Amino acid sequence: MDTVVAVAAASTSTGRRWLAWARRQAAAYLAAAGGGDDGWAACAVSVVRIVVCFVSMMVTTAAWAVVMLLLLPWPCERIRQGNLYGHVTGRMLMWILGNPIKLEGLENLKTRGIFLCNHASPLDIFLVMWLAPTGTVGIAKKEIIWYPLFGQLYVLANHLRIDRSNPAAAIESMKEVARAVTKNNLSLILFPEGTRSKTGRLLPFKKGFVHTALQTKLPIVPMVVTGTHLAWRKNSLRVRPAPLTVKVLPPIRTDDWQEERIDEYVEMVHSLYVDNLPDSQKPLESQTTRKKMS
């Protein structure tokens, strides 16, 4: 019942928020098209693809929302349906956009785990939706419920939300996430940077994924995504045909991890990403350190 009330309350303000979002996107497109170096023809093709993506996503979102409402008494089934929605919608959106995609190490997704993904573009979310195994839940800030249609479906799909208003609330939210994952035999998908990189370069990792691993004992499965920051740049509606790569690294056991070594584990996983990213996406400080050592 709480889910229904939350979704209903969110829906009342969807119209106003959607109008504001549309205005921001229109302004971003005009700025990108007016100052871009790709020409009007390329921009026109790109915006058509994005419009087709948006309409297609609204259709699948509306269809699955009906399914979720019918499955309200069965939360675990809603999670599986949410994953199916992601597999269909994520793959469809990437097909419409047309970027060449290279997938490596998909066999490493055939296990329960805490899946991590670096984040530099909306395309990362589409890829994660597509590739996340069935039985995987995501974590988002609690305000996601206000996102038109998608936010309400996120809640109906029984994905998890955290309160990031202050550190104490965030820690308690992550503990609740760990309990839910363990109780329901689920996997988890996280963006360990905690926000989207504006330049495509890897940001420092938050400690939340290590705390969750300590409580659930699930292995860490890094998903290294490259090229998405070049395909869809910040504040632009021009999607370029840049090649993308998703490399899933072997699972990292955490059943023997110790709480006093949290910083060490964060640095270890971060270093794995640095080693597997191209120079254009490595943190600048890592390149400076490498030059000093050479």
Side-chain angles (χ1 to χ4, degrees), residues 264-278:
E264 179 183 334
Y265 300 139
V266 172
E267 180 58 32
M268 176 189 69
V269 177
H270 190 269
S271 295
L272 279 176
Y273 274 83
V274 173
D275 292 342
N276 284 276
L277 285 169

Side-chain angles (χ1 to χ4, degrees), residues 97-177:
L97 294 174
N99 293 82
I101 304 172
K102 181 180 180 181
L103 303 175
E104 302 179 23
L106 294 186
E107 66 277 5
N108 295 319
L109 296 175
K110 297 178 180 180
T111 181
R112 282 187 65 218
I114 300 172
F115 302 103
L116 305 183
C117 181
N118 53 307
H119 187 27
S121 165
L123 298 182
D124 305 323
I125 298 175
F126 299 163
L127 290 167
V128 163
M129 289 169 59
W130 169 24
L131 297 173
T134 301
T136 301
V137 291
I139 298 181
K141 56 186 180 181
K142 64 178 183 179
E143 293 82 5
I144 195 173
I145 193 174
W146 303 112
Y147 291 14
L149 281 182
F150 182 79
Q152 289 84 63
L153 184 67
Y154 183 92
V155 176
L156 285 172
N158 219 35
H159 287 293
L160 307 173
R161 294 179 293 154
I162 61 172
D163 184 355
R164 299 198 300 186
S165 58
N166 61 72
I171 291 173
E172 184 57 35
S173 294
M174 289 304 296
K175 289 180 179 178
E176 293 177 6
V177 164

Side-chain angles (χ1 to χ4, degrees), residues 46 49-50 53 90-103 121-124 126-127 130 226-233 238-245:
S46 179
R49 285 184 170 180
I50 290 177
C53 279
R91 181 67 187 96
M92 176 186 66
L93 297 180
M94 295 309 303
W95 178 78
I96 292 171
L97 294 174
N99 293 82
I101 304 172
K102 181 180 180 181
L103 303 175
S121 165
L123 298 182
D124 305 323
F126 299 163
L127 290 167
W130 169 24
T226 61
T228 56
H229 69 297
L230 298 175
W232 196 338
R233 297 174 184 171
R238 169 76 170 104
V239 179
R240 295 163 175 81
L244 313 177
T245 300

Side-chain angles (χ1 to χ4, degrees), residues 64 68 75-85 87 134-135 157:
W64 255 277
M68 298 298 185
C76 290
E77 184 58 34
R78 280 188 278 132
I79 291 173
R80 285 191 285 271
Q81 283 297 319
N83 293 144
L84 180 59
Y85 161 82
H87 298 161
T134 301

Side-chain angles (χ1 to χ4, degrees), residues 175-244:
K175 289 180 179 178
E176 293 177 6
V177 164
R179 287 192 289 267
V181 167
T182 302
K183 178 181 177 181
N184 297 292
N185 203 33
L186 300 171
S187 293
L188 193 62
I189 182 74
L190 289 169
F191 294 104
E193 296 158 288
T195 188
R196 173 180 168 184
S197 171
K198 295 180 180 179
T199 63
R201 293 191 181 278
L202 191 68
L203 300 175
F205 283 1
K206 306 294 185 182
K207 300 179 182 180
F209 75 94
V210 177
H211 286 289
T212 305
L214 286 169
Q215 294 178 68
T216 63
K217 303 301 181 183
L218 288 173
I220 300 292
V221 184
M223 300 172 64
V224 184
V225 179
T226 61
T228 56
H229 69 297
L230 298 175
W232 196 338
R233 297 174 184 171
K234 183 79 171 176
N235 296 325
S236 173
L237 288 188
R238 169 76 170 104
V239 179
R240 295 163 175 81
L244 313 177

